[in-house]
Amino acid sequence: AKDGKQKKVIDNTENIIEAVLLECSAEIVSQTIRNTRVDTGQLKSSWAAVVDKKSDGFEAVMGAPLENAIWEEFGTGEYAIQGNGRKGGWVYQDAKGDWHKTTGKKPSRAFFKAYTSLKNKIITRLQNSLKGL
């Protein structure tokens, strides 16, 4: 069994880690929102972050539940970043009933850009938060 002081140190460390992950994941989501292209605004308002305590540590999960998030991040058709999109174009009808011909959607990489721009700042923030323990 852990003595009282040891448990207090573990609890304090876990509280710091959780708080920093919450802060940092919220910052990534905020930057992602700023990076997100707007048509209807639905995707922009759907980005979120959650921090969960697991048996082996903490996990910060960030994302959006809309399928459009995948299309915006990775592109579609001839613009798909992995080169696996539909070739030759297609037509589709939008929500207003108008028809469009497209060869795909260029990826905006909103989340990737947010993460890479903040990665070093986040690492430093976490390191500085744990220094005093």
Side-chain angles (χ1 to χ4, degrees), residues 27-35 73 109-119 122:
E27 191 169 345
I28 290 171
V29 166
S30 292
Q31 183 63 50
T32 302
I33 290 168
R34 288 190 295 276
N35 293 349
E73 191 67 23
R109 305 295 285 165
F111 179 81
F112 178 77
K113 289 175 183 175
Y115 171 75
T116 55
S117 72
L118 295 169
K119 180 180 175 182
I122 289 168

Side-chain angles (χ1 to χ4, degrees), residues 2 8 14 22 43 59 64 74 78 88 90 100-101 103 128 130 133:
K2 297 175 183 141
K8 189 172 182 179
E14 288 179 346
L22 280 167
L43 176 59
E59 177 181 69
F74 298 106
E78 295 178 11
W90 64 94
H100 304 272
K101 182 175 180 356
T103 55
N128 289 340
L130 296 175
L133 298 177

Side-chain angles (χ1 to χ4, degrees), residues 20-132:
V20 171
L21 284 176
L22 280 167
E23 177 185 312
C24 293
S25 61
E27 191 169 345
I28 290 171
V29 166
S30 292
Q31 183 63 50
T32 302
I33 290 168
R34 288 190 295 276
N35 293 349
T36 299
R37 292 185 286 212
V38 178
D39 182 13
T40 65
Q42 192 176 21
L43 176 59
K44 195 174 195 84
S45 64
S46 72
W47 291 101
V50 175
V51 174
D52 289 321
K53 183 178 179 186
K54 306 283 186 178
S55 60
D56 60 344
F58 289 89
E59 177 181 69
V61 178
M62 294 151 279
L66 302 176
E67 190 173 29
N68 191 36
I70 297 167
W71 302 338
E72 281 291 322
E73 191 67 23
F74 298 106
T76 64
E78 295 178 11
Y79 304 106
I81 64 172
Q82 296 178 341
N84 58 353
R86 185 186 316 176
K87 307 295 186 239
W90 64 94
V91 294
Y92 70 95
Q93 189 175 26
D94 66 20
K96 297 174 187 171
D98 298 325
W99 286 92
H100 304 272
K101 182 175 180 356
T102 185
T103 55
K105 178 186 265 194
K106 291 181 181 178
S108 69
R109 305 295 285 165
F111 179 81
F112 178 77
K113 289 175 183 175
Y115 171 75
T116 55
S117 72
L118 295 169
K119 180 180 175 182
N120 291 335
K121 180 180 175 183
I122 289 168
I123 291 169
T124 301
R125 171 79 173 95
L126 187 56
Q127 289 170 337
N128 289 340
S129 297
L130 296 175
K131 265 184 190 171

